[in-house]
Amino acid sequence: MYPTIAISLHTLAAFRQCHRACPRFSIQAQCRTLCFLHDIPYRPYLNTQFSAAYDIYLEIIHHVDQRLKAALKHDTPNWRLLNSCPACFYKLQDEPTLDFNWLVCVDGNNSLKRWDSSIYGNTAWLDSRQARSDYWIDRETVDKYKHEAKSCDINSHDDNWEEEPVDASTNPSNVLTCVDQWRNAGPETRKKMFSVFHESGIFIAACRHRFILLACDMVQSGELAKYPLALIDKLLTVYGKNGGCAYDIGCAFSKTLSNSSFGSRAHDLGFRMMVGSFHGHAHNRKCQLRWHPMYIPGTGHTEGEGCEHVFSASNELARSTRHASSFHRHQSIEEHFSFWDQDKYASLSNFLWNHYREALKAVHNLTTELTAIKHELRLTDDDFVRFLDEEQKYLDDLKQPPAEDRIRIRYVETLDELAERRSDWDSARQAANNALTQLPASSLVQINQALTVARIWVDSSYAKLQHAEALVAHMESQLGVDARWEIGGEEYSCFKEEASLGKYRAALNDLERLVVMRLFELSKLSLSGTGYKLRQQISKALQRRSEAIRKAIAHYNVQAVALNPPRDKISWKDIADYTFLGEFDLLRHSRSDVRSDDWAKPAYREATSKYFKLLCAREEITRLNVEIRRLRTAIYDEELQATAVICDLSGSDPLLASELKRQWRSRAAINAVHVYRLDQIGSLTGFSGVRGREDIDDIQAIIMSDYVDMDAIDREEFGRATEDIADYLQSIVD
């Protein structure tokens, strides 16, 4: 062998860390960089050579890690799942009982798609290598849940898990269903993926501190039921009882879960589905009361949107994995997940620090505000719970009119349309009869133009009248009406109010749609990955949308006033003050008999929202007290174990001991920051937790003495706070 290219281990190690920290930095970019540094022209074959060397390097790293795990006894089944997040899973014997022993979120993302090479007419490159990590659930395991959805035909390959249609008159909950608002909750025919992709994305599970727990490939499909079912079954097996899981369509998926092969086991273990706090804003009000974390005891400030944070970073991998082999795609994703979890561990104490301060601030502010509100409105805490129960009961009792009554409502609308068409036809005939009265007899051109206009008007009006007559006759045959209802008559007036209410709801639906589109465009406008041209297009769309919303508000107010009794008009400020988009449901379904109820009044609704936010803040403090103690104890136990293993390996395997000591040096530095931050939390006014162990008074000195400068941490925190204040002031100026 006479090699002409040599790649040092330092170069490979540097690329690994650069690629993990910046996923956009690909092998091609690294090769181009090296070519420029060595003053040689870039050649595409260098990518293949560097990739092969990098694969070998990662294989070496993998084998070293396997030996270290064996020495540390971290190679037991599911060890990573049980220990990746000490705040979630490092449970202590005498800790207080929580409503949820573990909280996770699941979601899918289609950015990490991989092209099927066969579409180019090429034979796919065979690579028998498999994924190294235990993040993945293999496809065979996932496919076991292929026919778990209730509405799935066993002879069909479609994984259609939309709820089966039911009669609204017998199932009032269907009135407020929000399944259709979400693309991934629709039937498979609405979410077919392009055949050019072999893997169409990934589906993951993450804990509340955003550590990645599990993942699986979505293969030539959208978010099918089998993906969350496979992940949740594994989570239940590992973590056991009293778990909670947030999913953007958790309300619809819960039915699929209960009908699955392990649905009874999930129920016995006290497993609870919910909807993430962000996605919950766009669900209807009835869904929010049952599935939003704010109304579920024990969730605290858990947002249930951790997967979105993961995807915001993993999306950067799309460019380098779109045309990669299956193995290299998995390898790149594994490296990213591993680095992500390391980064989340490094910032874990900061997560606890920020959440504890926010929870203390929320408790202080909300307690002050609620005290004043309860005194002014003469309310107690029991009243807020009663308001929520009354609203839930009201929404549960809502029913759509029977099918025959809906036809009668439509019949009233067609009668109104027929009367309008007759009026138009009469006006057209009258205008045609008078078309020549104002024209001079000698102006043949003007006479011809006037006759043409009159003829077109009469013909079009008569055609519309004939169409309205035919529609009314068809409706009468369906209803069996012998004598046509008179406008203003008893039967007509009986259903006229419902017809007017239908127009009112249509105007409200249009207004809600525009508001939703505006909110999502505003959120996308601030995304870091949004390009300049797209931001300009979104800005222009927002300007047009704002004008459309104003017109929709005006149209809504016209329909609101036309009701009997008339509804209150709304303004732009009223829409901006809505806590959730679910507030639109109250407008859509409200009747005059509830407008005087306390729970429907804006002041009482706002007070109720503050009360449940206060409960969440208190629950968050309770959970954080447990998590802080878990983290401190885990650090102590890890210090003892690592020190003992290093000591044992120093005699039996010095090289492995040296590598473990090198890795532990970085870990110990992070732990020193954690201990410092946990001490800061303990010094907060209002802190109600305890330390992890009573016999670790010297652990802070042991860890912090060698690896970290506490003054540097204080300076960094002060600098970050100064930058935040500067950014806030700049935003005000802008």
Side-chain angles (χ1 to χ4, degrees):
M1 297 179 62
Y2 300 95
T4 58
I5 298 294
I7 304 173
S8 68
L9 291 176
H10 289 294
T11 300
L12 294 170
F15 168 73
R16 184 190 184 211
Q17 298 306 324
C18 290
H19 180 62
R20 280 150 62 103
C22 180
R24 289 190 180 187
F25 189 70
S26 62
I27 289 180
Q28 183 186 48
Q30 174 70 16
C31 291
R32 287 181 177 274
T33 301
L34 293 174
C35 288
F36 280 112
L37 290 176
H38 292 277
D39 297 324
I40 61 174
Y42 168 76
R43 293 291 184 268
Y45 68 82
L46 296 174
N47 296 337
T48 304
Q49 294 178 338
F50 191 94
S51 177
Y54 186 59
D55 290 346
I56 297 173
Y57 172 76
L58 291 181
E59 188 68 20
I60 295 172
I61 295 296
H62 172 68
H63 282 286
V64 173
D65 287 341
Q66 291 298 108
R67 292 184 60 188
L68 290 175
K69 289 179 180 178
L72 294 168
K73 298 181 180 179
H74 292 176
D75 55 348
T76 55
N78 301 319
W79 188 93
R80 183 189 59 81
L81 286 172
L82 293 169
N83 296 272
S84 58
C85 179
C88 282
F89 308 121
Y90 201 82
K91 298 179 181 179
L92 307 178
Q93 294 181 353
D94 56 345
E95 64 184 19
T97 303
L98 299 174
D99 292 325
F100 290 102
N101 291 341
W102 49 278
L103 290 166
V104 300
C105 58
V106 297
D107 201 2
N109 178 268
N110 59 6
S111 293
L112 296 179
K113 297 185 287 287
R114 186 176 71 88
W115 285 83
D116 187 351
S117 58
S118 62
I119 66 170
Y120 302 113
N122 300 328
T123 302
W125 179 42
L126 297 179
D127 191 343
S128 60
R129 292 175 292 180
Q130 300 294 325
R132 300 186 185 95
S133 74
D134 60 348
Y135 283 110
W136 301 100
I137 295 182
D138 59 83
R139 298 180 185 179
E140 291 76 14
T141 302
V142 172
D143 285 339
K144 293 179 181 178
Y145 306 90
K146 191 173 185 179
H147 301 293
E148 292 288 323
K150 178 181 178 181
S151 57
C152 181
D153 183 1
I154 195 67
N155 296 319
S156 172
H157 294 290
D158 289 345
D159 188 4
N160 180 357
W161 58 293
E162 186 179 32
E163 293 182 274
E164 295 179 347
V166 294
D167 186 2
S169 62
T170 60
N171 188 355
S173 63
N174 194 51
V175 177
L176 293 175
T177 182
C178 57
V179 173
D180 291 333
Q181 296 185 12
W182 297 101
R183 179 179 57 185
N184 55 348
E188 175 64 13
T189 54
R190 295 209 306 262
K191 50 183 178 177
K192 288 287 189 181
M193 297 297 295
F194 294 110
S195 59
V196 296
F197 297 115
H198 193 273
E199 289 92 7
S200 53
I202 59 174
F203 201 96
I204 69 169
C207 75
R208 95 179 200 108
H209 303 96
R210 302 163 193 168
F211 286 80
I212 301 172
L213 304 176
L214 294 170
C216 66
D217 284 321
M218 296 192 298
V219 182
Q220 295 181 336
S221 68
E223 293 185 24
L224 304 183
K226 62 181 180 180
Y227 303 126
L229 286 174
L231 268 60
I232 290 175
D233 191 13
K234 177 69 173 180
L235 294 173
L236 289 172
T237 302
V238 175
Y239 297 131
K241 62 181 181 180
N242 293 338
C245 178
Y247 188 18
D248 54 9
I249 46 173
C251 51
F253 177 73
S254 62
K255 183 175 181 180
T256 302
L257 177 62
S258 62
N259 292 325
S260 67
S261 58
F262 61 94
S264 59
R265 179 164 66 94
H267 180 268
D268 294 339
L269 291 173
F271 184 73
R272 176 71 154 87
M273 289 298 302
M274 61 190 75
V275 175
S277 57
F278 173 77
H279 289 88
H281 291 319
H283 284 242
N284 62 60
R285 183 61 179 172
K286 183 177 180 180
C287 178
Q288 291 173 17
L289 296 180
R290 291 181 175 176
W291 304 102
H292 196 279
M294 189 171 75
Y295 301 109
I296 299 177
T299 57
H301 284 170
T302 302
E303 59 181 12
E305 302 290 353
C307 295
E308 304 300 333
H309 293 270
V310 177
F311 295 144
S312 67
S314 66
N315 289 344
E316 303 295 335
L317 286 171
R319 298 182 181 181
S320 59
T321 59
R322 187 63 50 86
H323 299 278
S325 66
S326 178
F327 169 76
H328 284 119
R329 174 178 173 272
H330 276 152
Q331 178 176 268
S332 183
I333 295 174
E334 288 170 5
E335 283 290 298
H336 175 76
F337 283 176
S338 176
F339 181 77
W340 172 272
D341 285 346
Q342 292 176 18
D343 186 59
K344 292 301 105 179
Y345 180 80
S347 60
L348 182 55
S349 60
N350 202 49
F351 179 97
L352 301 176
W353 162 255
N354 290 330
H355 276 239
Y356 212 104
R357 289 190 301 173
E358 291 172 0
L360 288 176
K361 182 179 179 181
V363 169
H364 177 268
N365 293 341
L366 291 172
T367 300
T368 304
E369 294 174 5
L370 277 175
T371 300
I373 292 174
K374 289 191 291 185
H375 177 73
E376 181 178 353
L377 300 179
R378 302 179 182 277
L379 298 174
T380 63
D381 291 344
D382 294 336
D383 291 326
F384 299 126
V385 178
R386 177 173 57 83
F387 292 158
L388 203 69
D389 293 339
E390 289 177 355
E391 182 179 5
Q392 182 71 61
K393 183 179 183 302
Y394 170 74
L395 295 175
D396 288 339
D397 292 341
L398 286 175
K399 295 182 180 180
Q400 289 183 343
E404 188 174 353
D405 286 350
R406 292 200 296 271
I407 297 177
R408 290 190 175 96
I409 293 171
R410 179 56 183 154
Y411 178 54
V412 169
E413 294 175 348
T414 57
L415 289 177
D416 291 338
E417 183 180 357
L418 177 60
E420 183 179 352
R421 297 309 178 197
R422 282 177 176 168
S423 177
D424 291 343
W425 188 49
D426 292 339
S427 299
R429 288 189 301 168
Q430 184 177 0
N433 293 332
N434 299 327
L436 304 179
T437 57
Q438 303 296 330
L439 297 178
S442 59
S443 180
L444 297 180
V445 175
Q446 293 183 10
I447 292 175
N448 184 51
Q449 291 177 348
L451 291 175
T452 301
V453 171
R455 178 179 56 79
I456 293 175
W457 190 5
V458 170
D459 290 345
S460 63
S461 300
Y462 184 73
K464 293 178 181 179
L465 176 61
Q466 290 293 98
H467 176 74
E469 287 278 7
L471 183 59
V472 169
H474 175 69
M475 300 291 292
E476 289 174 344
S477 64
Q478 283 188 317
L479 294 172
V481 175
D482 296 330
R484 181 165 296 175
W485 294 358
E486 295 182 1
I487 295 180
E490 181 179 355
E491 294 175 315
Y492 172 89
S493 300
C494 180
F495 293 95
K496 176 62 177 177
E497 181 180 354
E498 287 294 334
S500 300
L501 191 59
K503 296 180 180 179
Y504 163 79
R505 290 171 179 166
L508 183 60
N509 289 338
D510 184 56
L511 177 59
E512 181 183 14
R513 176 182 60 83
L514 293 172
V515 172
V516 171
M517 294 172 67
R518 181 177 184 271
L519 290 176
F520 281 115
E521 285 169 344
L522 283 172
S523 63
K524 191 173 183 180
L525 189 62
S526 60
L527 291 180
S528 59
T530 305
Y532 172 77
K533 292 184 178 180
L534 182 57
R535 287 200 302 269
Q536 292 298 315
Q537 294 176 0
I538 293 176
S539 298
K540 294 179 180 179
L542 285 174
Q543 295 175 3
R544 294 192 298 269
R545 196 86 64 212
S546 298
E547 182 62 28
I549 291 176
R550 291 187 178 91
K551 293 181 179 179
I553 290 175
H555 179 59
Y556 166 84
N557 288 334
V558 171
Q559 299 299 328
V561 173
L563 294 178
N564 184 24
R567 298 289 192 271
D568 294 333
K569 294 183 178 181
I570 62 174
S571 63
W572 181 277
K573 182 179 181 301
D574 296 327
I575 293 178
D577 289 341
Y578 283 163
T579 307
F580 297 112
L581 292 178
E583 300 289 345
F584 281 98
D585 290 307
L586 182 61
L587 294 175
R588 183 177 294 108
H589 300 283
S590 61
R591 302 291 194 271
S592 58
D593 58 336
V594 300
R595 297 169 66 193
S596 59
D597 292 347
D598 289 339
W599 67 265
K601 296 178 180 178
Y604 290 83
R605 293 178 65 80
E606 180 66 20
T608 303
S609 177
K610 290 180 181 295
Y611 171 74
F612 282 96
K613 288 180 180 178
L614 176 60
L615 293 183
C616 288
R618 291 172 177 169
E619 293 169 354
E620 180 71 7
I621 291 176
T622 301
R623 179 170 289 275
L624 288 173
N625 287 335
V626 173
E627 293 175 347
I628 290 169
R629 187 168 176 236
R630 287 176 179 176
L631 178 58
R632 189 184 290 272
T633 305
I635 291 173
Y636 172 76
D637 293 343
E638 187 179 35
E639 163 74 15
L640 295 180
Q641 182 190 25
T643 303
V645 173
I646 291 174
C647 182
D648 293 341
L649 290 176
S650 298
S652 60
D653 195 340
L655 293 179
L656 192 62
S658 177
E659 174 62 19
L660 178 57
K661 188 174 182 180
R662 183 191 65 81
Q663 293 189 15
W664 171 247
R665 185 179 297 109
S666 173
R667 182 78 166 191
I670 295 174
N671 287 341
V673 176
H674 287 339
V675 172
Y676 175 76
R677 188 71 71 195
L678 295 179
D679 287 342
Q680 281 189 313
I681 298 176
S683 63
L684 289 172
T685 303
F687 176 74
S688 55
V690 295
R691 298 187 63 180
R693 294 278 294 270
E694 297 297 335
D695 56 346
I696 59 174
D697 294 335
D698 58 339
I699 186 63
Q700 182 172 346
I702 294 175
I703 298 179
M704 294 169 55
S705 58
D706 296 331
Y707 303 116
V708 71
D709 181 4
M710 293 298 110
D711 292 336
I713 297 178
D714 290 334
R715 290 194 299 270
E716 180 182 355
E717 183 175 321
F718 178 77
R720 188 184 300 111
T722 304
E723 292 178 359
D724 292 342
I725 295 175
D727 293 341
Y728 172 72
L729 295 176
Q730 184 64 37
S731 65
I732 295 177
V733 174
D734 294 341

